[in-house]
Amino acid sequence: MSERSNPLEKTFKVFLGVSIIGHIAVLILLNIDSLWVSENDLIIQNAIKVDVVGLPEKKKPKPALPRKKPKPKPQPKKTAKKPKPKPKPKADKKAQESAFERLDRLAKEEALKKKQQEALKKLEQQTQKEEPEETPAEPEQPVAGNIITMGTALKGLDKIQMERYFGQVQQHIQSQFQIPSFLNNAQLSGQADIKIDGRGFVIFRGISKTSGNDIFDNAILTAIDNSSPLPEPPPRLQSRLENAGFRLGFPE
Amino acid sequence: MKHLIFSVVAAIVLGALPALSQGNGQVYISVGQATSKKSLLALPSFNYFGSQAQKSSAIRIGSEMYEAVKNDLDVSSLFVMMKPNAFLEDVSLVGLKPKPNDPNGFNFKNWSAIGSEFLIRAGYKVIGGDVELEGYVYYVPQAKLVVGRNYKGPKSQARSIAHRFASDVVEALTGKGAMFNSKVVLTANRDGKYKEIYSMDWDGFNIQRLSNFRNLSISPTWSTDGKRVAYTSWAYHPKAKTRNADLFIQDARPGAKPELVSYKKGINSGAEFHPNGTDLYLTISREGNADIYKKNLSSGTVTPITNGPAGAMNVEPAISPDGTKMAFSSDRSGRPMLYVMNLATKSVRKVTKAGHYNSTPSWSPDGKKLAFAGFDRKKNNFDIFIMDWNGFNLERLTSSKKTNGKWANNKSPTFSPDGRHIMFVSDRTGNYQLFLVNADGTNERQLTKDRFNYEKPKWSKIFE
C-alpha cells in the first residue's frame, strides 16, 4: 500500500507546493505597491466655506482688454565710424570692393529698417482700430436665480436652518402665484416687501418695484395674501422678519 | 484613514463655532415662475339704447353682435365665461359706466362679490341703416377701466363691428390684436355634387360661393392684399374638347369673373402668392413630372423653381411671411417629406425625417413655425403637426377617433393671421368638417356642423 501511495503522495506534494508558491506570488503582486512604494504625504488644508446659491445667470462677456502696443524694435546702435585706414596701393582694389560691399550692406540695412518701421506702423494702426471704446461701467447686477440670501455671516447649523426655512417660504408663495393667461408672454417682473409675525402671518406687504402692469402687481399681492400664514419662522429669525422683513422677487 | 478622520474633526470644530451677527443685507427670495389661469369674465347681454319703435328689429342685430363677441372671447382661450344666472345685478336697469361717475351706473361690488375679474358692459342702437356699438371692459378687483370704444357702421357689418370690439379687448390685455376680423377660403360641395370655391368668416358665418364652374374647383388661396383668390378648376377647353386643371384668379366676391392665369397641359395647381403680391408660385405637372414654378403676374414670365430630381414630385409651395423661403412637399427621397428652399440661393434642406407622408405646410405669421399634415403608419391616419421651420421641436396637435373607433384623419392645416390658432379639416364626425385648435394643441373645437365636406382651407389676413 505504502509503495502504491508514494507516487500519488509525491504528486500531491508537488501540486501543493506549486499552489502555495503561486498564491504567495499573487499576494506579492497585489501588494507590491504598498510594500515598496512610499505613500504620498497627506496634504492638510483649511476647508473652504461658501454660501449655497442657485445657478447664476449668464455673465455678460467682459470687454476685451486693450491690446498692448507692441514695443518698437530697438534701432541698431550707430557705432562710431572707425577711421578708414589708408588703403595700401596693393590693396586698393580690395578696399574699394569692401567699401562698395559696405555701402551695399548699409543700403540693404536701410531698406530693412524701412520695412520694419512700415510694418510697425501698420500694426499700430490695426491695434488702434481694434481697441474697443471705453464703455461706462455697468452697475453691478445682483446675482439672479433662486437666491435665498445675498450673504450673511451666519455659519453652520444656523445657516442651514435659515436656508431651509426660506426654501419653504419660496415654495409656499410660488404655489399661490398665478397670473392671467393673457400675461403669459408679457415677461413681466416685480418685487414686494413683506413682514411676518412669529406665527408666520403676514403683517405687512407692499409693492417695492412695480412691474408696470396693474394686473400683474395685483397678482403678486394676491399671492402673498393667499400664502398667509407662511411657515413659522425659526426663533432666531422671528424678530428680524417682523421688523425688517424680506423682499420677494416675482418671478426673480 | 488619517485623512478621513481629520476631515470629520475639522467639520465638527467649524460647525461648533458660535453664530455671529446675521449681517446687514436684506433677505431676498426669488419666488419663481407663476402658473397661468384663465380670467373669469362676466359678459352680460348688451343694452339697447335706441328708440322703442325700432327695438324689435334691432334686438336681432344686438343678439348677433353679442353672440359674436362671446364666441370670439371664448375662442381666445383667455377667459372663463361666467353664467348669467350668477349675476347679482340686472344690467338692463343700470348704465354702462360705474357709480359714482354715473349716478345710474352699475356697482362694482355686485361683480366682485361673485368673483369676476373682468366685466364687459356694452350697448347698441340702430339709426336708419347704421348700427352703433359702445363697449367698455373693466378690471373688477381694481374697479378700473381697461378699454372703452365706440363703433359705427352699416347694419350689414354688425358682425364685423362685434369682431372688431372683441379684437380690441384682446389687444388691450395682451398687446396684440386677434384674428376675429378675418376670412377663410376653401373648397366645399355645398351645392350638390360639384366642388366649388367658397369664402366665409373664420367662425363659419357669411358663407359665399366664389366659383361657378359646376365641376371640380380646388386649392384656393388668398392674394396678399386679401382682395383676390386664386384656385384651380377643371375648365372645359372647347377647341380641344377636353378638360384641364387650369389656374384662375378672381376678385374675392360672388359673381366675379375669373381670369385664366395658367393653362399648361396637365395640372396647374397649389397656387401661393408671394408677399410681394406680384409673383405666384404654383405646381405645374407635365408628362407626370410635377415641379414648382414662379409666375410673374405683371410680365407673365414663368420661371422654374424646382427641377426634379427626375421622377420626383415637388408640390404645395408655401412661401414664408418674409418671402425668403419656400416650404414644399417632395418625394425626392422616396416618400413625401417637407423641404425648405432658400429662394435666393436655391439651396434646399429636408426638414422632416419622421413619418411616412408629410404634406400641406403652413407658415406661422412670425415665420418661426410650420404646421403640416403627417401620416401616422401605426394609426393609419393623418394628424396635424407643428415644428420649428428647421425641423426641430416636432409636436403633434391632434389625435381623435371616429365614431367607429378608428383614428380620424386631420388634414390641411392653415395658421390664423395672429398666429394663435390653426384651422384644419377632420373626418372624425363622418364627413370632413372644419375644426380649430390653439397653436399649442389646446382648446380644439368644431367650427362647422353640417352634412357637407370641406377641403383645403386657407386663412386670410386680418381685415381692418
Side-chain angles (χ1 to χ4, degrees):
Chain A
M1 278 295 274
S2 58
E3 288 179 1
R4 281 185 190 174
S5 64
N6 271 339
L8 282 173
E9 213 174 294
K10 272 189 185 173
T11 309
F12 174 74
K13 282 180 183 173
V14 167
F15 178 77
L16 186 63
V18 168
S19 174
I20 289 168
I21 293 166
H23 277 86
I24 291 169
V26 166
L27 279 170
I28 291 169
L29 282 171
L30 288 174
N31 293 286
I32 199 166
D33 181 54
S34 59
L35 287 172
W36 277 288
V37 176
S38 60
E39 288 182 7
N40 293 329
D41 292 336
L42 273 176
I43 299 170
I44 298 170
Q45 61 187 21
N46 290 330
I48 301 167
K49 287 182 292 179
V50 295
D51 279 344
V52 178
V53 295
L55 293 170
E57 280 187 347
K58 188 177 176 182
K59 290 183 183 173
K60 288 184 182 178
K62 292 180 183 175
L65 294 171
R67 285 194 186 182
K68 289 181 183 174
K69 290 183 185 179
K71 289 180 184 175
K73 285 187 181 178
Q75 292 188 6
K77 290 180 183 175
K78 288 182 182 177
T79 52
K81 289 182 182 177
K82 289 182 180 176
K84 288 181 185 177
K86 288 182 182 177
K88 291 179 180 178
K90 282 187 180 180
D92 269 352
K93 277 190 184 176
K94 278 191 185 174
Q96 279 178 3
E97 284 175 2
S98 68
F100 282 128
E101 282 175 12
R102 191 159 169 263
L103 281 172
D104 192 40
R105 182 175 55 78
L106 284 172
K108 282 183 184 173
E109 278 179 12
E110 200 64 40
L112 186 63
K113 250 195 245 175
K114 271 191 184 175
K115 270 190 187 174
Q116 284 174 349
Q117 281 171 1
E118 276 171 21
L120 279 173
K121 272 188 189 173
K122 274 188 187 172
L123 272 173
E124 277 179 17
Q125 283 168 4
Q126 272 180 2
T127 52
Q128 275 169 12
K129 279 182 195 173
E130 286 169 4
E131 272 174 10
E133 292 175 3
E134 283 182 6
T135 51
E138 290 180 10
E140 274 185 19
Q141 289 185 356
V143 178
N146 188 18
I147 302 169
I148 300 301
T149 173
M150 294 296 285
T152 70
L154 288 177
K155 292 184 169 78
L157 292 172
D158 281 345
K159 193 169 168 60
I160 293 169
Q161 199 180 28
M162 187 189 76
E163 288 170 0
R164 187 183 300 147
Y165 172 72
F166 283 125
Q168 291 172 347
V169 167
Q170 180 266 322
Q171 285 179 8
H172 193 77
I173 297 175
Q174 189 184 21
S175 67
Q176 301 296 326
F177 183 35
Q178 281 189 317
I179 58 172
S181 45
F182 59 80
L183 291 179
N184 272 348
N185 298 324
Q187 294 184 331
L188 298 168
S189 64
Q191 292 175 0
D193 287 338
I194 176 175
K195 292 179 184 175
I196 58 173
D197 64 15
R199 294 172 302 156
F201 283 91
V202 175
I203 56 175
F204 168 79
R205 93 280 191 270
I207 299 290
S208 53
K209 183 185 166 190
T210 179
S211 63
N213 183 294
D214 286 345
I215 296 172
F216 190 87
D217 288 350
N218 195 56
I220 290 174
L221 295 175
T222 304
I224 295 171
D225 291 342
N226 292 343
S227 303
S228 184
L230 294 172
E232 208 171 289
R236 281 185 175 274
L237 288 176
Q238 281 176 7
S239 172
R240 179 178 177 167
L241 296 182
E242 193 164 340
N243 297 314
F246 52 95
R247 183 161 286 181
L248 300 167
F250 295 82
E252 289 181 341
Chain B
M1 190 61 178
K2 286 182 186 177
H3 197 74
L4 175 65
I5 291 169
F6 186 84
S7 302
V8 169
V9 168
I12 291 169
V13 167
L14 289 169
L17 282 175
L20 301 176
S21 66
Q22 294 179 5
N24 296 325
Q26 185 178 33
V27 174
Y28 184 94
I29 298 175
S30 298
V31 172
Q33 292 295 331
T35 52
S36 68
K37 62 177 179 66
K38 294 183 182 181
S39 303
L40 284 170
L41 172 65
L43 180 62
S45 50
F46 295 170
N47 289 25
Y48 175 69
F49 294 131
S51 66
Q52 287 299 313
Q54 283 188 301
K55 188 174 181 179
S56 56
S57 61
I59 280 179
R60 183 189 58 79
I61 295 172
S63 175
E64 200 175 341
M65 289 196 295
Y66 173 81
E67 291 300 326
V69 169
K70 187 178 171 194
N71 187 48
D72 288 352
L73 295 180
D74 190 37
V75 164
S76 72
S77 303
L78 301 177
F79 304 104
V80 172
M81 297 292 182
M82 299 182 77
K83 290 186 179 171
N85 57 12
F87 301 161
L88 298 177
E89 201 166 31
D90 185 353
V91 295
S92 63
L93 302 175
V94 293
L96 303 182
K97 296 177 184 176
K99 288 176 179 174
N101 296 341
D102 180 359
N104 191 39
F106 67 89
N107 197 330
F108 270 115
K109 283 182 186 172
N110 291 328
W111 301 97
S112 60
I114 59 173
S116 65
E117 291 169 82
F118 289 94
L119 167 67
I120 292 181
R121 293 301 321 279
Y124 66 100
K125 52 187 170 185
V126 177
I127 304 171
D130 288 343
V131 61
E132 198 173 311
L133 177 70
E134 185 182 344
Y136 300 91
V137 182
Y138 298 97
Y139 181 53
V140 175
Q142 292 179 344
K144 198 177 143 181
L145 176 69
V146 174
V147 64
R149 294 278 160 87
N150 207 314
Y151 310 84
K152 190 175 176 182
K155 281 194 288 188
S156 60
Q157 297 294 315
R159 286 192 71 85
S160 181
I161 289 171
H163 287 316
R164 183 62 189 268
F165 175 55
S167 182
D168 287 344
V169 170
V170 171
E171 185 173 3
L173 295 176
T174 65
K176 184 178 150 188
M179 54 75 179
F180 304 134
N181 250 333
S182 61
K183 287 179 171 287
V184 172
V185 68
L186 42 76
T187 298
N189 61 347
R190 293 179 64 90
D191 286 324
K193 61 179 180 178
Y194 305 121
K195 286 187 180 180
E196 302 280 8
I197 305 299
Y198 291 82
S199 73
M200 63 179 200
D201 292 350
W202 75 269
D203 53 3
F205 283 81
N206 289 331
I207 298 178
Q208 296 178 319
R209 192 181 72 196
L210 300 182
S211 67
N212 192 24
F213 281 91
R214 300 177 67 77
N215 205 285
L216 187 62
S217 299
I218 59 168
S219 302
T221 191
W222 291 95
S223 64
T224 312
D225 58 7
K227 292 180 180 176
R228 296 177 298 167
V229 294
Y231 57 90
T232 298
S233 193
W234 262 260
Y236 183 71
H237 292 243
K239 284 185 181 176
K241 293 183 184 176
T242 183
R243 289 189 181 271
N244 193 61
D246 297 335
L247 186 74
F248 295 86
I249 292 180
Q250 68 170 76
D251 287 346
R253 56 178 175 83
K257 188 180 173 190
E259 175 194 337
L260 184 61
V261 171
S262 179
Y263 49 93
K264 303 286 182 193
K265 191 176 178 184
I267 295 178
N268 305 266
S269 181
E272 168 93 344
F273 280 87
H274 189 277
N276 64 18
T278 312
D279 294 324
L280 188 71
Y281 289 72
L282 69 151
T283 299
I284 299 176
S285 72
R286 299 177 186 177
E287 297 167 352
N289 294 322
D291 271 305
I292 295 171
Y293 293 77
K294 178 180 77 174
K295 174 154 186 168
N296 186 292
L297 295 174
S298 303
S299 63
T301 50
V302 178
T303 312
I305 300 297
T306 64
N307 186 14
M313 289 180 60
N314 301 295
V315 297
E316 298 174 334
I319 309 299
S320 63
D322 62 3
T324 60
K325 298 185 279 292
M326 179 184 77
F328 62 100
S329 182
S330 175
D331 64 353
R332 56 183 65 187
S333 62
R335 300 177 301 187
M337 288 286 148
L338 292 189
Y339 294 78
V340 172
M341 176 190 280
N342 182 312
L343 290 174
T345 64
K346 296 291 187 289
S347 62
V348 175
R349 65 188 284 180
K350 189 177 177 184
V351 294
T352 60
K353 295 175 179 66
H356 196 71
Y357 190 120
N358 298 320
S359 64
T360 56
S362 173
W363 289 88
S364 63
D366 61 8
K368 292 180 182 175
K369 299 275 188 186
L370 276 173
F372 64 94
F375 185 74
D376 187 335
R377 215 187 214 177
K378 286 180 189 173
K379 293 160 76 178
N380 195 35
N381 78 317
F382 277 93
D383 266 324
I384 305 298
F385 293 83
I386 192 171
M387 63 180 185
D388 295 347
W389 76 263
N390 54 12
F392 289 95
N393 299 317
L394 178 67
E395 287 178 45
R396 186 189 298 245
L397 295 185
T398 61
S399 181
S400 54
K401 284 189 175 177
K402 301 181 198 178
T403 49
N404 60 8
K406 292 184 179 177
W407 292 104
N409 289 300
N410 303 287
K411 299 182 186 178
S412 304
T414 179
F415 255 101
S416 64
D418 63 359
R420 293 184 173 110
H421 312 278
I422 293 170
M423 188 182 293
F424 59 97
V425 294
S426 175
D427 65 353
R428 64 187 71 175
T429 58
N431 52 334
Y432 276 100
Q433 294 285 286
L434 287 172
F435 282 76
L436 193 71
V437 68
N438 288 350
D440 60 3
T442 59
N443 203 23
E444 200 170 299
R445 60 178 64 206
Q446 189 170 351
L447 288 177
T448 56
K449 294 178 184 177
D450 51 43
R451 55 187 173 82
F452 306 114
N453 281 292
Y454 297 91
E455 293 172 25
K456 296 279 181 81
K458 278 285 178 72
W459 217 314
S460 75
K461 64 167 205 170
I462 296 173
F463 294 101
E464 299 295 334

